[in-house]
Amino acid sequence: LSNYTFPPDFRFGVATASYQIEGAWNTDGKGESIWDRMTHQHPDFFFNGDVAADSYHLYKEDVRALKELGVGVYRFSISWPRILPTGDVDVVNKLGIAYYNNLINELLANGIEPMVTMYHWDLPQALQDIGGWPNQVIADYFEEYARVLFTHFGDRVKLWLTFNEPLSFCAGYGEWRAGAPGIDAHGIGDYMSAHTVLHAHARVYHLYDNVFRKKQKGQIGITLDSEWADPFDGTVESKEAAERELQFQLGWFAHPIFSSEGDYPRVMKERILNNSLKEGRTRSRKEVKYVQGTSDFFGLNHYTTNLARSGAVGETPSLIRDAGVQMILDPSWPSSASAWLKVVPWGFRKLLVWIAKEYNNPPVYVTENGFSDHGELRDTNRTKYITSYLSELLKAIHEDGCNVIGYTAWSLIDNYEWMSGYTEKFGMYYVNYSDPARPRVPKDSSRVMAEIIRTRQLPQQY
Ligand code: GCO
């Protein structure tokens, strides 16, 4: 492990998300979200987050754990339908506002800075009923929702993220979309959704920049997820496939916002034009300019690496077919409890260097990185994962000059892992889901993390 020291202003934190921890799905005026609807409609296919870790009632337990870790930042998301139950800005749920005020005040009272994700996948069902993200009008609703958040919480919240992983909720890379019954497999709708999400993100950035920033003095960004893609073999085809995969997976949303050129990556527009959409989903010059530069930092979720080689996947027009890349997991790499998550620390450094080169070394906030297991309290594998990934992050900073300014690990507590329910545990604190009191129990990794935060160096024994 590298024995570099974390820069003095480097921020440490942990991350969670509303649907994955809060529970209280229909309590105190909260409206239905698309995840409530989907999990209740398909109980055979999905677990649900009806109670989850019950953070709605136990948020003080969460803050106690945060205090024990010694984090400076806590990244959590606000449930849109808990604030606006119908999506209509005239129907504000006061008890929802009160919950997040209590959480924010409890954090500040313990010297912890809130980082708020405005949207972590729990769209009000009422907005899905008018078409959801493929319907451009949702951008209006999102801007109105953001204005409510800035108005009520902007005096104390100085770190905002508009969206968590638009790729995962717009497109078919998230397995939970492709296979779930009654949910269309990825396809043309994804390009429409991406259009709406990018425009909605820019609308909220400009709203903050023009109306709130002067008084509230905060920063606003977006969180994009990306695995590293390494060529399957030494052929030119595999090298091109790996680069294409990064442009489709990360460039799709990063290029319009962070690149000096703007718009979608060229290779995407060419291949989409040839494969599935005649208009290639490009944007007008005016819209390209409107979206460019709309983020104060680059939020990055990263977990693992895949190998890439050429190959059209599937016949129907889709993001994966347009990319023409086959992703392969190397079975020799150490595994986690999640089939998609292999432990490949060096891929993290390569991705950070790629982002620095591609987007002129933007300030990068690693907003998620973590390991899943089956809930062991002696979670040595998680400690090995976190320390080895942080070791690569330190090399990216000290040897490659990458401008990484913070790291919030996924996750504080074992929580609802989407399609996998409660079977894959990502927490540094264990939650016993058969105990209605949902106690938060520290795992070994929490003590190691607390030590790293205190000493700002990595322990060398792992
Ligand atoms: C994501 C989401 C998190 C997941 C975490 C583990 O990145 O998919 O932001 O909600 O729970 O990544 O899969």
Side-chain angles (χ1 to χ4, degrees):
L1 292 176
S2 54
N3 53 15
Y4 293 116
T5 304
F6 287 93
D9 50 355
F10 185 89
R11 314 294 301 278
F12 281 101
V14 284
T16 61
S18 44
Y19 188 74
Q20 296 181 266
I21 64 165
E22 285 179 3
W25 77 280
N26 63 347
T27 306
D28 293 349
K30 174 181 167 292
E32 186 183 18
S33 77
I34 55 175
W35 275 87
D36 296 317
R37 174 66 62 88
M38 187 159 61
T39 56
H40 294 157
Q41 265 185 341
H42 303 288
D44 49 314
F45 198 87
F46 287 97
F47 297 84
N48 68 48
D50 289 2
V51 179
D54 200 16
S55 287
Y56 183 76
H57 298 107
L58 299 174
Y59 68 91
K60 288 191 177 177
E61 287 306 300
D62 294 339
V63 178
R64 197 182 48 72
L66 291 164
K67 189 81 182 154
E68 217 169 49
L69 279 169
V71 296
V73 178
Y74 176 45
R75 176 188 175 224
F76 63 94
S77 79
I78 290 184
S79 166
W80 189 343
R82 199 180 291 285
I83 302 291
L84 299 177
T86 64
D88 183 335
V89 74
D90 295 335
V91 184
V92 178
N93 176 24
K94 290 191 174 22
L95 290 174
I97 297 283
Y99 168 66
Y100 292 109
N101 269 326
N102 292 338
L103 172 57
I104 290 164
N105 295 338
E106 187 72 14
L107 289 168
L108 295 173
N110 284 278
I112 298 162
E113 179 164 12
M115 173 189 257
V116 170
T117 309
M118 296 173 167
Y119 184 77
H120 201 124
W121 306 358
D122 38 4
L123 184 73
Q125 179 61 43
L127 297 182
Q128 184 63 34
D129 293 345
I130 60 170
W133 288 111
N135 181 350
Q136 290 270 19
V137 84
I138 305 296
D140 297 341
Y141 286 93
F142 186 67
E143 184 182 353
E144 289 175 335
Y145 164 55
R147 186 185 289 272
V148 172
L149 300 187
F150 295 146
T151 305
H152 286 272
F153 310 120
D155 58 319
R156 287 153 292 151
V157 175
K158 308 295 176 194
L159 280 172
W160 294 98
L161 293 164
T162 51
F163 291 104
N164 174 74
E165 299 195 4
L167 184 77
S168 293
F169 68 86
C170 282
Y173 278 83
E175 309 72 49
W176 51 266
R177 266 188 67 101
I183 294 174
D184 62 313
H186 41 275
I188 306 300
D190 303 319
Y191 298 116
M192 303 296 292
S193 300
H195 249 51
T196 308
V197 167
L198 269 171
H199 182 70
H201 163 78
R203 290 267 289 272
V204 167
Y205 182 87
H206 289 300
L207 168 70
Y208 190 77
D209 213 26
N210 298 330
V211 178
F212 291 91
R213 191 197 298 274
K214 198 156 175 290
K215 197 154 171 284
Q216 297 186 353
K217 299 188 178 21
Q219 290 205 304
I220 180 165
I222 186 170
T223 263
L224 305 178
D225 63 315
S226 190
E227 316 311 6
W228 175 249
D230 227 47
F232 174 71
D233 55 29
T235 63
V236 169
E237 289 75 18
S238 292
K239 287 187 184 123
E240 286 173 353
E243 180 61 21
R244 208 160 56 240
E245 170 59 18
L246 288 162
Q247 291 297 351
F248 268 77
Q249 182 177 164
L250 184 54
W252 188 13
F253 291 91
H255 207 262
I257 296 172
F258 296 97
S259 78
S260 51
E261 187 185 39
D263 204 359
Y264 298 119
R266 287 189 201 170
V267 69
M268 268 194 87
K269 291 196 288 183
E270 276 156 28
R271 291 184 68 95
I272 292 170
L273 209 55
N274 299 335
N275 287 342
S276 64
L277 276 177
K278 288 314 143 213
E279 68 276 24
R281 280 280 162 250
T282 187
R283 309 174 82 90
S284 67
R285 284 308 305 156
K286 179 168 169 283
E287 176 69 3
V288 168
K289 284 273 158 263
Y290 186 72
V291 173
Q292 256 183 308
T294 55
S295 203
D296 299 324
F297 54 86
F298 192 115
L300 174 70
N301 288 354
H302 174 72
Y303 290 87
T304 189
T305 288
N306 299 305
L307 297 173
R309 69 176 170 198
S310 280
V313 177
E315 285 317 305
T316 49
S318 73
L319 194 75
I320 294 185
R321 183 171 179 281
D322 289 335
V325 175
Q326 204 167 6
M327 301 308 284
I328 295 123
L329 282 174
D330 186 323
S332 72
W333 290 334
S335 291
S336 70
S338 312
W340 56 275
L341 205 174
K342 293 280 184 182
V343 184
V344 194
W346 50 264
F348 189 21
R349 181 180 179 185
K350 286 193 169 189
L351 178 60
L352 290 169
V353 170
W354 188 88
I355 290 169
K357 185 172 57 61
E358 197 73 11
Y359 304 118
N360 191 26
N361 206 12
V364 173
Y365 222 115
V366 179
T367 42
E368 277 180 42
N369 176 250
F371 179 83
S372 64
D373 57 19
H374 297 292
E376 301 87 325
L377 291 180
R378 312 266 83 82
D379 57 340
T380 314
N381 287 337
R382 174 169 293 104
T383 297
K384 283 181 182 165
Y385 177 98
I386 297 271
T387 50
S388 60
Y389 272 70
L390 284 175
S391 176
E392 294 302 313
L393 184 153
L394 282 167
K395 290 178 201 167
I397 293 174
H398 290 280
E399 298 175 22
D400 309 313
C402 294
N403 184 9
V404 189
I405 58 173
Y407 174 94
T408 55
W410 185 271
S411 178
L412 171 66
I413 54 176
D414 292 338
N415 59 59
Y416 174 86
E417 180 48 29
W418 309 113
M419 262 181 76
S420 310
Y422 303 95
T423 61
E424 293 168 21
K425 315 283 185 181
F426 276 88
M428 291 185 179
Y429 282 74
Y430 173 78
V431 176
N432 177 354
Y433 281 91
S434 46
D435 179 344
R438 299 282 196 277
R440 278 74 165 131
V441 179
K443 302 177 186 175
D444 287 352
S445 60
S446 69
R447 297 180 189 93
V448 175
M449 190 68 188
E451 191 61 10
I452 292 169
I453 294 171
R454 195 178 62 74
T455 61
R456 305 187 75 78
Q457 284 202 309
L458 298 179
Q460 292 304 314
Q461 70 266 37
Y462 291 96

